[in-house]
Amino acid sequence: MKVLFVVPPLAGHVNPTVAVAAELTARGHQVAWTGPAEVLSGLLPARANLLPSGDRTGSGGYGALHGRWRDLRGVAALRFLWEEALIPLAHGMMPGVEAAVDAYGPDVLVADQQALAGAVVARRRGLPWVTSATTTAEFTRPFAGFPKVGRWVADEIAGFLAVCGAPAGWDPRFSDRLVLVFSTPELLGADEAVPDHHAFVGPAFGSRPADGSFPWRRLDPVRRRVLVSLGTLNREAGHRFYAAVLRVAERLADHAQFIVAAPADLVGRVREDHVLLQEYVPQLPLLPHLDAVVCHGGHNTVCEALAHGLPLVVAPVRDDQPIVAQQVAAAGAGIRVHFGRPRPEEIHTALNAVLDDPDHRRAARRIQASFAAAGGAAAAADRLEKLL
């Protein structure tokens, strides 16, 4: 079987495909990716078969696009995501995805929910296609309370299909053959029937490049350890949040060590005796050494923490993060706090609760067990093999 992954230039959307691809390769299948090589070349394994598509982002590339999006919130961020990012990306990727299909000859396309070109090309070529759903937000009826916003998103998608000459009346975000959901109902909180072709396989964690620069010896063997991370796309907006976290770190210095993943110029001076500041951390290897995680609600970070049974304090910034934060809180595995107006007292209370209340850890471990039972990359590979 030859599988072509169609992905956007976002680490959280690429990482699960790397894990699934490794499993497929171990079983004797062939894999390749198509998407913007400008970004993907730094996210994929060194010898990955990458067929470029969609590198035309206008002046400044993806860095400039991110700079314009960074400080937006709410509906403004959603409009920017669709009007300035996803729809232009879909149009920009179309020729490259067509060429990738011609050059590679896949048996099946696995198209990320935010890489709409993959579904359109697959349908145009009569190829089986599968949805890669790396966030659960779309499965919670996110616009149920905002019908006008939901209609606007639907109109954006319909307009894209019309320009492409694709048939109307279908949604390229959701395959009718197989949807791989990298989560479980225990986190999603789904209380309604899910179609049989929606496979909850749990998170899929691939190998990450080794990072020999992390100062492992500085981890305190006595105090509890807390990771603070806003991911790779939101950290620049976190100046006030980092300041609030440092005040909490001062108050908890006697019994907690904070590992802060952020650039030093955004965080400022820290007390090195109780704050370990690193611009990047080897998150997966680090998680087994932690007691809690403070994060922005990115689906990957949340799932990685819960896969290690760690409770969370979640400060969502934009996009799907408020939905993921609500899922964590509803499951009892963490507490949601404010990001835009961070208050040290709120963060302090929330962090004390997830560290000291055993109910939060029990909830996190319940989700951890559901992830393990779901099967991850192996379960995703099983479903893909059964598709053909």
Side-chain angles (χ1 to χ4, degrees), residues 285-353:
L286 180 62
L287 287 168
H289 303 276
L290 302 177
D291 295 281
V293 173
V294 178
C295 74
H296 60 303
H299 194 262
N300 268 14
T301 298
V302 164
C303 286
E304 289 176 3
L306 292 174
H308 289 81
L310 298 175
L312 297 120
V313 173
V314 188
V317 184
R318 61 170 72 80
D319 301 332
D320 66 327
Q321 295 159 16
I323 297 173
V324 175
Q326 179 57 34
Q327 291 172 355
V328 170
I335 297 174
R336 176 176 175 173
V337 298
H338 291 91
F339 177 83
R341 298 183 300 279
R343 293 185 294 110
E345 187 60 40
E346 180 188 30
I347 299 170
H348 177 264
T349 300
L351 188 54
N352 270 337

Side-chain angles (χ1 to χ4, degrees), residues 311 332 352-365:
N352 270 337
V354 301
L355 285 171
D356 296 335
D357 185 346
D359 287 342
H360 292 297
R361 189 165 298 277
R362 278 195 289 267
R365 287 175 176 168

Side-chain angles (χ1 to χ4, degrees), residues 25-42:
T25 301
R27 299 182 185 193
H29 303 295
Q30 298 179 53
V31 299
W33 285 263
T34 185
E38 173 190 335
V39 177
L40 296 187
S41 58

Side-chain angles (χ1 to χ4, degrees), residues 190-341:
D191 56 0
E192 56 190 73
V194 176
D196 290 339
H197 70 285
H198 285 49
F200 287 88
V201 299
F205 303 133
S207 61
R208 308 281 171 82
D211 182 356
S213 64
F214 186 77
W216 293 99
R217 293 183 179 180
R218 287 185 56 196
L219 291 179
D220 193 308
V222 177
R223 291 180 291 178
R224 289 183 287 185
R225 306 179 188 121
V226 178
L227 173 65
V228 180
S229 173
L230 298 179
T232 56
L233 295 179
N234 298 285
R235 53 174 60 189
E236 292 91 344
H239 181 75
R240 287 190 296 174
F241 188 79
Y242 293 131
V245 165
L246 290 184
R247 291 177 63 183
V248 176
E250 290 280 352
R251 295 179 62 176
L252 297 179
D254 288 343
H255 60 276
Q257 180 187 34
F258 283 56
I259 299 95
V260 180
D265 60 347
L266 289 177
V267 178
R269 295 183 63 183
V270 302
R271 288 276 305 276
E272 293 187 0
D273 53 342
H274 59 267
V275 176
L276 198 170
L277 176 62
Q278 295 280 291
E279 182 166 2
Y280 297 101
V281 301
Q283 189 159 291
L284 281 178
L286 180 62
L287 287 168
H289 303 276
L290 302 177
D291 295 281
V293 173
V294 178
C295 74
H296 60 303
H299 194 262
N300 268 14
T301 298
V302 164
C303 286
E304 289 176 3
L306 292 174
H308 289 81
L310 298 175
L312 297 120
V313 173
V314 188
V317 184
R318 61 170 72 80
D319 301 332
D320 66 327
Q321 295 159 16
I323 297 173
V324 175
Q326 179 57 34
Q327 291 172 355
V328 170
I335 297 174
R336 176 176 175 173
V337 298
H338 291 91
F339 177 83
R341 298 183 300 279

